[in-house]
Amino acid sequence: MELRQLEHFVTVAEEQHFTRAAERLAVSQSGLSASVRALEQELRTPLFSRTTRSVRLTEAGRALLVEAVRTLAGARAARDAVDAVRGLLRGTLTVGVEQCVAGVSPAQLLAAFHREHPHMEIRLRQEGTMSLLDGVADGRLDLAFAATVSPLEWRGELIPLATEEMVVLCAAGHRFAGRSGVEWGALPEESFIDFHPDWGPRRAADAAFAAAGVRRTVALEVNDVHSLLELVQEGLGIAVVPRHFARKPEAVRLVALDLLAPAASGPVSGTGPVRYESVVVLPPQRAASPGARALVSLVTSARERGEE
């Protein structure tokens, strides 16, 4: 069993398609198929269930995938460690990011990293926070920039980036627009626009509403910040989001309102401001790769200079 075969197997499993996997690996489809067949012959069991339209993992394939991902991550870490001793950073740095994080500009950060380490290939994956945690845990990601992670959810290292309050965003014509803030008791009647449940802002908002004992209806779920702001602007609902969203160019015509603590005699038992924290997630139970540590060093230096 060769590392190359495991890489081929993992890529087909991720793409669920031999042609797409071959394009991603820059190999011929026939060569990729032969590599996977040889692996199946060595293991004496099919790894994929193949039809004319789909490629699905068998039970044996699912079992192998977990170990194959770990093995490839370990091999990359070994190569990176040797290069680091030689004073070089080579190989691949795979970074995960949720597009809502504050305290860092991923584009500027990765550009600075590339200038300092031009021989290292950078890969970027944009996902929700829970998917990012899974990616770092199983070695698919070297590190991730995520949001609102508790120590109970993550046993590895968490480096704080920024903490800010969440605010209510509404259109200029909304009934809340003339206020400076909104109490929790005024929110149950509203329709909300929010991200999918594994995204950091959604998780923070869901937890806050549950703590406040306030039920809400998320009518529209989106997967990007631009769509959320556009839907709010069109008056299709309001959103509870990190404060820095209100500073985005697309939010120029929106109104940002503070979340206020309920009146002492009111029916709502919740709190006032909701905190939203952005963090760097590093692997548990194993040393972070040299590339990950170099990237974290850039983040630390930028924070010391007061940059974002």
Side-chain angles (χ1 to χ4, degrees):
M1 188 183 303
E2 300 176 358
L3 290 176
R4 175 181 56 83
Q5 290 176 307
L6 292 180
E7 183 181 11
H8 290 175
F9 163 72
V10 169
T11 306
V12 174
E14 291 176 345
E15 295 291 341
Q16 297 184 3
H17 198 279
F18 273 88
T19 300
R20 290 196 298 268
E23 291 174 351
R24 177 172 152 189
L25 291 164
V27 300
S28 68
Q29 185 172 340
S30 60
L32 177 61
S33 298
S35 176
V36 172
R37 280 198 303 271
L39 185 59
E40 290 176 320
Q41 290 169 4
E42 180 177 349
L43 296 173
R44 300 180 181 179
T45 186
L47 299 173
F48 294 103
S49 175
R50 302 165 173 85
T51 69
T52 56
R53 293 186 177 182
S54 67
V55 177
R56 304 291 182 189
L57 285 167
T58 62
E59 185 176 352
R62 288 192 292 272
L64 177 62
L65 181 61
V66 175
E67 298 304 325
V69 168
R70 290 175 181 168
T71 299
L72 291 172
R76 286 195 301 271
R79 287 194 297 267
D80 292 345
V82 172
D83 284 339
V85 170
R86 296 169 57 214
L88 300 172
L89 277 183
R90 296 183 183 274
T92 302
L93 176 69
T94 305
V95 180
V97 62
E98 182 167 315
Q99 63 172 297
C100 308
V101 293
V104 65
S105 166
Q108 294 176 6
L109 178 64
L110 294 180
F113 181 87
H114 179 67
R115 287 192 295 269
E116 290 197 12
H117 308 288
H119 299 295
M120 176 160 272
E121 178 185 357
I122 300 171
R123 295 181 182 174
L124 183 66
R125 302 284 184 268
Q126 190 177 74
E127 301 174 10
T129 283
M130 296 309 294
S131 296
L132 295 176
L133 294 182
D134 290 341
V136 177
D138 65 24
R140 289 184 293 109
L141 301 174
D142 290 292
L143 79 167
F145 297 93
T148 314
V149 179
S150 74
L152 294 178
E153 294 174 309
W154 189 249
R155 298 299 182 180
E157 186 175 355
L158 294 174
I159 301 176
L161 283 174
T163 301
E164 60 183 337
E165 291 183 2
M166 297 185 74
V167 298
V168 175
L169 277 187
C170 67
H174 192 275
R175 67 187 182 98
F176 291 162
R179 308 182 186 182
S180 60
V182 180
E183 290 189 0
W184 288 89
L187 296 177
E189 301 176 11
E190 297 297 318
S191 179
F192 286 82
I193 301 163
D194 213 327
F195 299 104
H196 293 289
D198 68 333
W199 280 58
R202 172 68 179 270
R203 283 157 39 85
D206 283 348
F209 275 90
V214 175
R215 298 185 63 182
R216 67 166 181 160
T217 300
V218 178
L220 302 174
E221 287 187 344
V222 299
N223 205 34
D224 67 282
V225 177
H226 176 80
S227 295
L228 181 142
L229 296 176
E230 187 175 34
L231 290 168
V232 173
Q233 182 173 302
E234 293 298 329
L236 294 172
I238 64 174
V240 176
V241 296
R243 186 177 293 277
H244 75 269
F245 279 31
R247 298 192 293 269
K248 293 181 178 294
E250 304 97 314
V252 65
R253 289 188 287 174
L254 299 179
V255 178
L257 307 165
D258 292 331
L259 278 164
L260 305 177
S265 59
V268 179
S269 59
T271 59
V274 180
R275 297 290 182 180
Y276 174 85
E277 184 179 32
S278 298
V279 295
V280 182
V281 181
L282 291 168
Q285 301 179 345
R286 64 182 176 86
S289 69
R293 288 296 177 187
L295 189 64
V296 169
S297 178
L298 286 177
V299 173
T300 303
S301 298
R303 292 185 66 192
E304 289 175 351
R305 296 192 302 268
E307 300 174 4
E308 282 193 11

